[in-house]
Amino acid sequence: MKKKIRMETNFFTQVCALPRAGAWKLTINFDGEQGLLVSVLFEGGTTALAPLVFKGTAAELDSGFFGAIAAPAENTAKLFVELQAHLESLENAKNDLKNRAAAKSANAAAAKPKVEDKAEKKKRYDEIIAKAKELNGQCKYADALALLPSNEEFPDKATELDGLRKVLNERNRQLSLLQTT
């Protein structure tokens, strides 16, 4: 004896009336002669919740399924919206931290002393040499030597600095010989 299958239902119309809660996966298993086991899994993006499981006869599920699933579907839809907002706030916080770190880096770079331009460097060199010559005139050769900058600081004046260092060293040596005798 063949059962007559009813071809029209309003199942999908009722599904559309429920709140949107991500994607749904429905699994229907037969449980004995008249029983059904229906599992509904709500998924939102990469998030899945524990499935809702309904068990009953076809008539029981026809009369109670949509009433039983309405509240969980609404709560799940709200949860997924809140989860999305939370994930966005985390992303914004992460970007904010990156921006703060970049700004801090930029401020630190700006706080570093700037490279002297040629005029400032020449002026500073001339002041050092003038002071060294003044100390040389006062026979303070050791002080003048200590004041002289390294060749790396003024590579284009290395020859001049080496010559001045040589003269000051010789005079300092002579002075120390005179003081010990």
Side-chain angles (χ1 to χ4, degrees), residues 127-144:
E127 289 172 357
I128 292 170
I129 295 301
K131 183 68 176 169
K133 286 181 180 179
E134 180 185 327
L135 291 170
N136 180 32
Q138 297 171 0
C139 296
K140 296 182 179 178
Y141 307 118
D143 293 344

Side-chain angles (χ1 to χ4, degrees), residues 75-89:
N75 292 339
T76 302
K78 287 178 186 176
L79 176 69
F80 287 158
V81 167
E82 290 171 3
L83 178 63
Q84 185 61 36
H86 176 70
L87 292 175
E88 287 173 8
S89 74

Side-chain angles (χ1 to χ4, degrees), residues 31-52:
D31 185 30
E33 277 294 311
Q34 298 294 318
L36 294 171
L37 187 63
V38 179
S39 171
V40 181
L41 177 66
F42 298 113
E43 292 181 326
T46 58
T47 306
L49 304 175
L52 298 174

